[in-house]
Amino acid sequence: MPIYGVALLAACTLVGLFVGDLIGATMGLEANVGGVGIAMLLLITLTNLPGRRLEPGSPTGSGVQYWSLLYIPIIVAMAARQNVFAAVSGGVMAITAGALAVLAAFALVPVLSRWAQRP
Amino acid sequence: MTARLADFAGDNGLLVAFVFVGLVMAVAYALSRHVARGTVHGSAIAIALGLLLAFWAGADTGGTNGVADWPLLAGIGVLGGNMFRDFAIVATAFGVRLADLRAAGLVGALSILIGVVLSFAVGAAVAIGFGITDPAEIATIGAGAATYIVGPVTGASLGVSSSIISLSIAAGLVKAVLVMVTTPLVARRIGLDNPASAMIYGGLMGTTSGVTGGLAATDPRLVPYGAMTSTFYTGLGCLMAPSVLYLAVKALV
């Protein structure tokens, strides 16, 4: 049943986010550390159990697949609720700092990628 | 009548949000097909339209939540909020193979550390260039160039003024918006077309909204890889910026 997939996905997300929250609290931070990453690893593990692989086409799998397909619309909603006005009117210093940080990171992507491909 | 409609939309916020996003997507894909003739992907246009509407809403309402501050569209705050965002990001990991995640391995993890230090250094240098001399204020701007969460967390722990904290948030927001808009434009040039480079990109950029938005507009299959590394970035930034990175600024200035 699709609800099994949705429930599995929700459970993985909740567990991951809570563990990420606990890791943050242990380090004395007001931030979630790796919660989404932990949730993803959990989902990958549970959907690839030996002999019980969950296929996207199966009824249970379709419950997970549906939310994966809704990803872009949700990101569009996320974009529509950003504080873009504050970003644009943040002044020259904020815009310079943000823009140069992005440029520097873009420039390093190919450098580190080459490094990753080295045997 | 208007008040009644606003109440009704508020009670059914999530449904209104589905209709709104569906319309934005439809307009974006039509623009992609007929105006851009397929050169710009529909999802990239949809995200840009969302940001544009958010700007308009912010100018109109003076609020901080984009279109969600319009009572009729309050439901966008739920659909575009952290809960659904994280839920959908985790869902994209369905079908990912662990072998692909290991492809970037150590370099992927290292990219997070490099990304935090790099953004901080660039932000701090810009702050110094604009004549700021107090190490705590320089560190707060540097932290803001990491993400818009690291900035205020650092500023609060170093006790800087709220105007500097706002500047650091603005720097982080500029970064998030720019990453969303420019990633599809530069993706090919920086080789952002495989799981390993997506993980490195996520670690270097760090802003989860920017990375997941940018990858969605580039190639949705890369989303889980970028999200995997960027999810550790803000935590590492909050750990390093008020401590070692601040001390480094203090020693250098």
Side-chain angles (χ1 to χ4, degrees), chain A residues 6-20 32 35-36 38-40 42-43, chain B residues 82-91:
Chain A
V6 180
L8 174 72
L9 173 61
C12 288
T13 309
L14 288 170
V15 171
L17 289 178
F18 191 64
V19 171
N32 192 299
V36 170
I38 296 163
M40 288 198 292
L42 203 58
L43 182 74
Chain B
N82 290 347
M83 182 176 72
F84 273 114
R85 185 197 66 186
D86 292 346
F87 191 52
I89 293 174
V90 175

Side-chain angles (χ1 to χ4, degrees), chain A residues 30-111:
Chain A
E30 280 303 311
N32 192 299
V33 179
V36 170
I38 296 163
M40 288 198 292
L41 288 176
L42 203 58
L43 182 74
I44 295 170
T45 311
L46 291 179
T47 51
N48 284 296
L49 290 178
R52 300 201 54 180
R53 229 181 95 83
L54 191 59
E55 300 292 339
S58 68
T60 304
S62 67
V64 185
Q65 187 73 4
Y66 174 73
W67 286 101
S68 168
L69 294 171
L70 272 191
Y71 171 76
I72 288 175
I74 286 173
I75 293 302
V76 171
M78 177 195 80
R81 55 152 288 175
Q82 297 287 312
N83 195 355
V84 184
F85 188 72
V88 174
S89 51
V92 186
M93 183 166 83
I95 292 175
T96 314
L100 288 182
V102 174
L103 269 181
F106 272 140
L108 267 191
V109 173
V111 178

